[in-house]
Amino acid sequence: PFAVKKTNHIMSAGYAERLKEYPNKGKCGLPENYDTSRSLSSKISTLANLLNDSSYTVVLTGAGISTSAGIPDFRGPNGIWTREQERLKQLQLMMKKKKRKRVEQESRKKKKNGDDDQMEQLQDDREQQQQKQETSNEDNLSFVTAKPTLTHRALAHLIATKKPKSNKQHHRNNKSHYHVHHLITQNIDGLHGKTPQLPRSHLSILHGDIFTEKCPTCHTEYIRNYEISTIGLQPTGRYCTNGSCQGALIDTLLDWEDALPEKDWETSQVECAKAELILCLGTSLRIEPAGGLCRLATTEGFLEAGADEWDLSDDGDAKEQSKKKKKGKKKQQQSTQKKLGYVIVNLQETPYDDQAALVIRAKVDDVMERLMSKLGYGSDWDT
């Protein structure tokens, strides 16, 4: 037997610190904008109409849906990578200041003795260490204690609960009895998994889960109540207990160079191709290829991806559905598939704003709370 590391005090910023150096993190620190109250009300009504009209809706979530749980995002004004860039600028300024000070000292022919210079260097190092510690303290937010937000709970409810009776006139097939049919997340915080109503079969996790380790042999997943300490699909030190497998478990957290998990990625593509509407919540859509999934809800994006030749039936697994090409004439229902486009709810601009059917600038929780009322779920859906 081996000792299990106590990792429940690893903080949210610790995940970002574990990632390898990567310079192309996209635009960080862009200003946040808010729609006026009147504009927001109108847009939420439009969104409710789109959801009622859609027979198949997929939701793509990003870090912005978890900020109200105390987990910082990455590119927001107070995001982890935004602060990282600010710290780098401050460090560069500090180094320039120190260099200028040395030049001045040399020009004065080092009037101070060596001991004084050494004390001054120690003071500079102490200030730098204090600044690093203060920044680290700001990031001391644990994934373990974080709880699902209103948005997490609302999405699970929309997947698990049929549309209210008032929306029956919008039902065109069995699947349209639900407002949301599949959820795709780029988040690693595990908050979707903490939402009891959301089954794993309706959730695609693209960048891993900090609470999940898996067996690469039999593909069994293990959800823990503590954070997994490794990153980059590395061995965790535990072993599979599924029958006689005993495979070495690995973490599911992707580092920059790691490929997306095949099953979840294939499922994501198929689900988005099937979607008439894609709702993008709290994501900057700047990490590819996940960011480009929203375009599959447009006729142009659907055809550009060659999705009109995919087998989008419910038979078979996602991998076969997404890769299987049709022979001969394409199915009529796919060539004429209805597309309502995609909706973005995010405070910052994204690279996909221009082609969106609707862009809402508001906090995601505020939008979802009002949307649930508009869709007819009443005030007791969250009890």
Side-chain angles (χ1 to χ4, degrees), residues 30 72 102 109 112 190 194 212 241 248 267 269 284 297 303 370:
L30 291 174
R102 289 194 188 98
K109 296 181 179 180
K112 295 183 179 181
K194 290 183 181 181
T212 302
T241 57
T267 299
Q269 293 176 86
S284 64
L303 295 175
R370 296 171 64 174

Side-chain angles (χ1 to χ4, degrees), residues 56 175 270-276 312 314 321 337 339:
Y56 206 88
K175 288 184 179 177
V270 170
E271 291 295 323
C272 287
K274 290 160 65 175
E276 293 182 0
L312 303 180
D314 291 329
Q321 289 179 38
Q337 185 170 353
K339 291 292 180 181

Side-chain angles (χ1 to χ4, degrees), residues 109-120:
K109 296 181 179 180
K110 297 184 179 179
K111 292 181 180 179
K112 295 183 179 181
N113 61 36
D115 289 341
D116 289 340
D117 287 342
Q118 187 175 12
M119 289 298 294
E120 189 171 338

Side-chain angles (χ1 to χ4, degrees), residues 98-139:
K98 289 173 70 174
K99 183 177 181 180
R100 187 163 56 246
K101 189 181 293 185
R102 289 194 188 98
V103 172
E104 291 174 355
Q105 289 173 342
E106 289 176 1
S107 67
R108 294 194 301 267
K109 296 181 179 180
K110 297 184 179 179
K111 292 181 180 179
K112 295 183 179 181
N113 61 36
D115 289 341
D116 289 340
D117 287 342
Q118 187 175 12
M119 289 298 294
E120 189 171 338
Q121 179 65 44
L122 287 171
Q123 179 64 25
D124 288 343
D125 292 342
R126 194 175 296 115
E127 290 176 358
Q128 189 172 340
Q129 182 64 30
Q130 182 179 355
Q131 182 184 10
K132 183 177 180 181
Q133 182 62 42
E134 289 174 354
T135 305
S136 176
N137 289 338
E138 292 176 359
D139 295 330

Side-chain angles (χ1 to χ4, degrees), residues 7-10 142-147 194 211 225-227:
T7 57
N8 58 323
H9 293 296
I10 295 175
S142 173
F143 284 124
V144 173
T145 57
K147 296 180 180 180
K194 290 183 181 181
F211 296 109
N225 60 4
Y226 50 83
E227 298 175 21

